[in-house]
Amino acid sequence: MEAGWGFTMDVRISKMTEVESRPANNLLRRLSQADYALLAPHVTVENSAANQLLYSPGDDVQVVHFPCGPALATFLVPNEDGRDVETILVGREGAVGGIVSEGFLPAYTRICVKFSGPFARVHVAKLEAAKLRSVSLRNIFTRYADCMLAQIFQSTACNAIHSIEQRTAKWILAAMERTGDEDSVPLTHEQLATLLGVGRSYASRVLQSFKAERILDTRRGSILVRNRDGLKLRACLCNDAVKMHFEEVLRGVYPTEQQEAG
Amino acid sequence: MEAGWGFTMDVRISKMTEVESRPANNLLRRLSQADYALLAPHVTVENSAANQLLYSPGDDVQVVHFPCGPALATFLVPNEDGRDVETILVGREGAVGGIVSEGFLPAYTRICVKFSGPFARVHVAKLEAAKLRSVSLRNIFTRYADCMLAQIFQSTACNAIHSIEQRTAKWILAAMERTGDEDSVPLTHEQLATLLGVGRSYASRVLQSFKAERILDTRRGSILVRNRDGLKLRACLCNDAVKMHFEEVLRGVYPTEQQEAG
DNA sequence: TCTAGTCTGTCCACTTGTGCACACAGTGGA
DNA sequence: TCCACTGTGTGCACAAGTGGACAGACTAGA
């Protein structure tokens, strides 16, 4: 498992069966046993299919969704011409819905399930109540909010100055790191192009150039990565920059040390 | 004064001399008298010159800066090649520093004074203490955090799909709306290009095309807008989308109604 | 008033990316 | 098994944007 996104925690806490019994979301697994106990009665888990909408602009945000395992959610900004542009990916390192707004405000973006999988869900009101009862729980969510902000800032800069080739490589790597899939991304060229906000034919051509360098193979409806390091060389460093911030802000944050010490 | 950014409040509360005596920042002026009283002892105001750095990546965020009057701050994301790319502008409609993170975390972006002017400053710890004492105060800052998030999301999408012409027009309008200056933006072509992350010669050409249509004039080191409506037609709608979210999320929020009712 | 330094306007060759078109390949039903 | 449909690879003409170059305009300061 790669460093960053708090995934390393999986290893550090692997002895703790209580933690392992929780939904496979790093934010939830990062909580101390006492903190998680505050949330547990309100957590439900169910599968969501790809393309399912979690929120549309204007929706009242009432539920926090925690992607688990290979599930992946994405924030889309609707455009005047009907094209939705993707901004950030959220996998099991995080959560979507009311993270910054604390809920009960109209959603600004569309939030959509990109790759199917289980999602843990907690009503915002329950989460907020738990935050009032535990400073450490509140602290972790605030830290995650800051990381999410960093992710969007980086995306903004990335879209301003990096080439489509770099962004394509970055996106594929980011998706794989989050789903845990070692070599495949289930996406058509059209979908990839739309979500990057670029033309389909050019996206095909970029993939073609990667293929020519044996970095990946293409299948109908999916991309098979053959040489991850090669792909990294083609990507911008935006992923790494954000990952470092995650590490710095969430690394060793309470309650991990306490659990390790205890 | 244009709608949005909460600027309309200036009119609605213009009778209240207590409010008028506060720093010219709409977030501070939006607070109820009781809420502002919690903050007032900790507020200092001083001028900052253009290009002054408020935060650099990694800095411990300890002070919230509220741009007042024509002052303007900007979030810059450093790039591997040393170019900083601008992401969002913050003027007297908001504040920078610990808005989402609630402070005491390393800054991710560089925050820089773009246009000089007064800034009100409050130590994050004091602000957080006030939030604990007043739900309504906390609510306003949370709502602003949500608006800021919307602003960044929109920027990300904008950078992905809008042309340099559209983004240039948008930037000029956004800056003018925040400073309150009716027709001028003190910026060289080079600065404008750098902050949009585009080439200088092309930025010059875009400005030249606006000039040819009598939308603006150029001076050495500044841009003079002659036809704001014309400029709006050339801009994307990103500004308006964000402004609507500000209106929706901050409009009529406590304590404004209370004050009006009382 | 002169000078040095910065800013502006424009040229050019080049790269990146668009949008459309079309042949063909893969796939899931009927 | 065949058909309809969606997805893929590629060609082309064109638009958007880059980056370097350079002459001339402005401006601050000696």
Side-chain angles (χ1 to χ4, degrees), chain B residues 55-59 76 78 106-111:
Chain B
Y55 287 109
S56 290
D59 284 0
L76 303 164
Y108 187 75
T109 60
R110 203 181 307 286
I111 306 183

Side-chain angles (χ1 to χ4, degrees), chain A residues 193-206:
Chain A
T194 304
L195 111 204
L196 292 172
V198 307
R200 199 275 305 172
S201 75
Y202 195 69
S204 280
R205 235 166 300 216
V206 167

Side-chain angles (χ1 to χ4, degrees), chain B residues 19-69:
Chain B
V19 167
E20 281 178 339
S21 73
R22 300 182 194 171
N25 173 282
N26 294 79
L27 215 47
L28 294 178
R29 293 196 168 189
R30 196 175 275 282
L31 298 174
S32 70
Q33 199 159 341
D35 283 347
Y36 186 70
L38 293 173
L39 243 39
H42 313 294
V43 174
T44 60
V45 181
E46 57 185 314
N47 260 63
S48 287
N51 301 318
Q52 189 182 319
L53 283 179
L54 302 180
Y55 287 109
S56 290
D59 284 0
D60 192 18
V61 174
Q62 295 209 6
V63 177
V64 189
H65 305 260
F66 298 82
C68 301

Side-chain angles (χ1 to χ4, degrees), chain A residues 58 75 77-81 83 85-88 100-102 104-109 138 142-143 145-146 148-157 159-162 166-167 196-198 236-238 241-242 245 248-249, chain B residues 58 75 77-81 83 85-88 100-102 104-109 138 142-143 145-146 148-157 159-162 166-167 196-198 236-238 241-242 245 248-249:
Chain A
F75 287 77
V77 176
N79 188 243
E80 58 272 14
D81 64 6
R83 286 186 298 173
V85 182
E86 185 179 287
T87 52
I88 58 165
V100 168
S101 70
E102 301 182 351
F104 307 105
L105 290 180
Y108 186 76
T109 60
R138 162 160 209 103
T142 302
R143 281 167 184 260
D146 182 66
M148 194 175 114
L149 196 71
Q151 204 181 340
I152 315 172
F153 271 124
Q154 192 65 50
S155 246
T156 306
N159 287 348
I161 59 172
H162 294 140
Q166 289 176 305
R167 293 200 283 134
L196 292 172
V198 307
C236 50
L237 306 175
C238 292
V242 174
H245 193 69
E248 197 173 353
V249 168
Chain B
F75 287 77
V77 177
N79 188 243
E80 58 271 15
D81 65 5
R83 287 185 297 174
V85 182
E86 185 179 288
T87 53
I88 59 166
V100 168
S101 70
E102 300 182 353
F104 307 106
L105 290 179
Y108 187 75
T109 60
R138 164 162 206 99
T142 302
R143 282 167 184 259
D146 182 67
M148 195 176 113
L149 196 71
Q151 202 182 341
I152 314 172
F153 271 124
Q154 192 66 51
S155 245
T156 307
N159 286 349
I161 59 173
H162 293 140
Q166 288 176 305
R167 293 200 282 134
L196 292 171
V198 307
C236 50
L237 306 175
C238 293
V242 174
H245 193 69
E248 196 173 353
V249 169

